[in-house]
Amino acid sequence: MADTGVIFKRCGCRNDANRRLERACPRLSERGHGSWYFHCSATNLLGRPERARRGGYRSQAAARRARDEWLATTGEDRTARSWTVERWLRYWLSSRTSIRPTTKLHYTRDVERVLIPHLGRLCLADLDARRLRTIFTEIAQTTNTKGQPQSASAMQHLRTTLRAALNLAVREGVIATNPARHIEVPSYRKPHAKVWTDGRVAEWQRTGERPSVAVWTADQLATFLHGVTNDALFALWWLTALRGLRRGEACGLRWSELDLDHGVLFVVRNRTTAGYQVVEGEPKTAAGRRAVALDRRTVKVLREHRRRQTQQRERRLAAGKVWHDSGYVFVGKEGNPIHPSYASGRFRLLVKRAGIPPVRLHDLRHGAASLAHEAGADLKTLQDLLGHSSIVITADTYTSVLPLAQRKCADATAKLVLAADRRTREKIRGKSRRNRRHQRPAKGVPTPARPANDKKPQVTPPTTGTASRTVTTPPSHPRDTHRPQRTETTRGLNRIPAGQASDDLARPKGLEPLTF
């Protein structure tokens, strides 16, 4: 409901205490002294009372006309003109109640650290694509909390956050279009996992540079696992490296979700962090709730881990110390579940002690997919193993072709080409044999040449007894299709001499048997 409000006059005169007189100035009745203002309120688009106070008008009539124009505008326009970007971003964050805590933490960081300092004072109605492009260009030239230039992924995330906030403004009808859709930021390509080959290892030892996402070979993984056999979290490293569990899935695993008799593990929760605060909830995706098959060696590792945990519990209870039966598979000294960040820090320390090329704890998940693929698992099996909602993620992001698999592929390709070449040569030889009518003469024996004036032998049938007769070919014999058609001559038909075999029939010129 709209309130017509009040129209008043005030000035900037001050008293002896240097305080503004405002509406108490005795000179307000003088013509041309002070200016006119209006103050009123109306309900905005969100159902909240929106107050407006405008001033600087030379006459009371001008202030009244400005008030009437403001009250006549729609709720959308009033909200867009009165709400700043800072106010809207905070309202948008408060309305995000169904997102994951980690996602909300990332949104809050973008809003508080970058977007509000650069855009907070602008009104929603003043946002356009040109202004946003200019501001994002300025943001790209700043540094992050670590003193490094803003990365392409950070700029992409900032645009995503602002676009999501302004999409709500579009849905609420505050603004007509989303200007954040037209912001151009540096393109970002997700890093592809690289295998620690001998060449990359030598380069890392020489310069210290390492890929952002790296994968161990089977030999390197075996070296690491052999060196951490006595570590209290050996089963965690084993499960992550061979079965591809996420860090939160492994840290949130409970003994009630393990069936060691049947060799199966059930993933039903994810224990992760938002900042340093632990958040435990559902798996990352709906496909994350899955059953993971366990081999006999993994079952043996988990049984040994449970035996060690039981011994640790008995020692603490015998010493009169506290032990919490939390039911988690991976616990600390007092039985409480470990912090996910502790698992990452412990893994980095063990890798550094092992003296092997460094990888992240999450990179073991990439390595598990690559090793399983090399062992013969298809992409659908890998998708179920890793708990991905799409097989495209499994194929593009989490599967690196290891050197051994590349060599197998190269050998198979070469064999395929060589087999095709061999079949082609055999086919050519077969055609040559069919075209050959005479046996190849022995080496060194010259082939007898026919005299130049020798005429074609007459075709005569073989003689039986004393009677001989002439055998002629049918009058409707097919013509030679390899030569131009010619008319019959009166020379007569070919005859086969009595001592000549039927295979030695004279052929037209150009169709003589091939001689090699």
Side-chain angles (χ1 to χ4, degrees):
M1 182 176 180
D3 180 13
T4 57
V6 295
I7 298 176
F8 58 93
K9 189 179 183 181
R10 73 172 188 175
C11 68
C13 298
R14 298 178 181 273
N15 58 14
D16 297 338
N18 200 25
R19 293 184 178 180
R20 295 174 63 96
L21 296 177
E22 299 287 342
R23 299 170 64 179
C25 180
R27 299 180 54 191
L28 285 180
S29 58
E30 298 180 7
R31 184 178 180 88
H33 185 78
S35 57
W36 290 89
Y37 289 76
F38 75 86
H39 184 196
C40 60
S41 64
T43 304
N44 61 16
L45 188 64
L46 304 178
R48 301 178 181 180
E50 191 71 33
R51 292 179 295 179
R53 186 175 182 175
R54 305 285 189 271
Y57 303 102
R58 294 184 177 183
S59 63
Q60 183 179 11
R64 185 179 294 108
R65 286 194 301 270
R67 180 201 62 182
D68 295 341
E69 291 176 0
W70 187 84
L71 292 175
T73 57
T74 61
E76 293 86 347
D77 293 337
R78 285 197 298 267
T79 306
R81 286 292 177 185
S82 58
W83 279 54
T84 61
V85 176
E86 177 182 1
R87 184 181 178 185
W88 182 261
L89 289 176
R90 297 189 189 281
Y91 166 74
W92 171 72
L93 283 176
S94 64
S95 64
R96 302 297 90 188
T97 58
S98 59
I99 60 177
R100 299 172 62 86
T102 53
T103 304
K104 188 171 184 178
L105 175 65
H106 295 156
Y107 283 157
T108 304
R109 287 178 177 175
D110 291 342
V111 168
E112 298 293 340
R113 295 181 180 179
V114 182
L115 295 179
I116 287 181
H118 289 84
L119 296 169
R121 296 183 179 181
L122 298 176
C123 293
L124 289 176
D126 296 335
L127 290 181
D128 55 13
R130 179 179 299 178
R131 177 168 293 182
L132 287 181
R133 283 195 295 266
T134 302
I135 294 176
F136 264 72
T137 302
E138 298 175 356
I139 295 175
Q141 298 174 356
T142 61
T143 57
N144 55 20
T145 55
K146 297 181 180 180
Q148 300 176 353
Q150 298 288 351
S151 62
S153 60
M155 297 301 298
Q156 291 276 357
H157 203 276
L158 284 174
R159 184 181 65 172
T160 301
T161 302
L162 181 61
R163 185 170 54 188
L166 296 182
N167 278 338
L168 178 62
V170 174
R171 290 195 298 270
E172 296 286 352
V174 178
I175 55 179
T177 60
N178 189 344
R181 296 188 307 169
H182 307 288
I183 301 176
E184 296 180 359
V185 296
S187 60
Y188 169 70
R189 181 176 298 176
K190 290 184 178 180
H192 187 71
K194 297 181 180 179
V195 185
W196 276 115
T197 58
D198 295 339
R200 291 195 178 106
V201 173
E203 183 70 14
W204 164 70
Q205 293 174 345
R206 186 176 61 87
T207 63
E209 296 181 358
R210 50 166 292 184
S212 56
V213 181
V215 174
W216 280 333
T217 62
D219 294 338
Q220 293 166 346
L221 177 60
T223 301
F224 171 76
L225 293 177
H226 179 75
V228 298
T229 305
N230 296 325
D231 188 73
L233 297 178
F234 172 74
L236 174 61
W237 319 134
W238 181 279
L239 271 180
T240 307
L242 272 71
R243 294 286 81 194
L245 295 183
R246 297 182 177 93
R247 183 188 69 170
E249 295 171 349
C251 294
L253 185 63
R254 298 186 180 183
W255 288 112
S256 59
E257 295 148 8
L258 276 173
D259 188 356
L260 299 182
D261 295 332
H262 296 86
V264 65
L265 177 152
F266 299 96
V267 178
V268 297
R269 69 175 48 82
N270 187 36
R271 182 179 173 85
T272 184
T273 58
Y276 195 75
Q277 181 181 1
V278 177
V279 178
E280 188 167 323
E282 297 290 327
K284 186 175 181 180
T285 61
R289 300 180 64 92
R290 64 194 186 279
V292 179
L294 304 177
D295 58 281
R296 290 180 295 178
R297 177 61 180 173
T298 303
V299 171
K300 184 178 179 180
V301 169
L302 290 173
R303 290 187 187 277
E304 178 64 20
H305 178 75
R306 183 166 60 181
R307 186 186 65 81
R308 289 182 179 181
Q309 191 177 110
T310 303
Q311 292 178 352
Q312 181 183 359
R313 174 180 178 275
E314 294 175 353
R315 285 195 302 268
R316 290 191 63 86
L317 293 178
K321 297 181 180 180
V322 178
W323 175 266
H324 300 280
D325 291 323
S326 60
Y328 287 84
V329 176
F330 304 108
V331 297
K333 295 181 179 180
E334 297 182 355
N336 294 319
I338 63 173
H339 196 283
S341 298
Y342 170 77
S344 299
R346 180 66 180 173
F347 178 76
R348 287 193 298 268
L349 179 61
L350 294 175
V351 172
K352 187 176 181 180
R353 289 178 180 177
I356 55 180
V359 298
R360 304 173 305 163
L361 179 58
H362 190 74
D363 292 344
L364 293 183
R365 180 171 164 86
H366 291 264
S370 300
L371 292 173
H373 185 57
E374 182 181 358
D378 54 59
L379 290 180
K380 184 60 180 177
T381 303
L382 292 180
Q383 179 189 359
D384 296 338
L385 171 66
L386 301 176
H388 288 155
S389 58
S390 172
I391 198 172
V392 178
I393 302 176
T394 309
D396 292 346
T397 308
Y398 285 91
T399 305
S400 302
V401 182
L402 297 178
L404 181 58
Q406 290 181 347
R407 285 194 293 270
K408 290 181 179 178
C409 179
D411 293 341
T413 304
K415 289 180 180 178
L416 181 65
V417 175
L418 292 176
D421 179 66
R422 186 165 50 251
R423 290 193 301 268
T424 302
R425 286 182 294 173
E426 291 176 355
K427 186 177 180 180
I428 294 174
R429 292 195 191 100
K431 289 183 177 180
S432 299
R433 294 191 193 98
R434 286 194 297 270
N435 291 335
R436 186 181 304 125
R437 295 304 181 183
H438 297 283
Q439 299 224 354
R440 185 189 298 255
K443 291 184 177 180
V445 179
T447 303
R450 179 179 299 174
N453 55 356
D454 188 14
K455 297 181 180 181
K456 293 182 180 180
Q458 297 296 323
V459 180
T460 57
T463 305
T464 56
T466 57
S468 63
R469 59 187 180 89
T470 302
V471 179
T472 60
T473 58
S476 60
H477 64 279
R479 297 185 179 276
D480 183 9
T481 58
H482 296 277
R483 299 178 59 123
Q485 184 175 353
R486 56 188 179 184
T487 57
E488 297 290 345
T489 61
T490 57
R491 181 177 178 181
L493 299 176
N494 294 337
R495 301 177 184 274
I496 302 177
Q500 187 176 4
S502 59
D503 290 339
D504 295 334
L505 291 174
R507 299 172 182 266
K509 187 176 181 180
L511 296 179
E512 294 84 357
L514 298 177
T515 303
F516 293 90

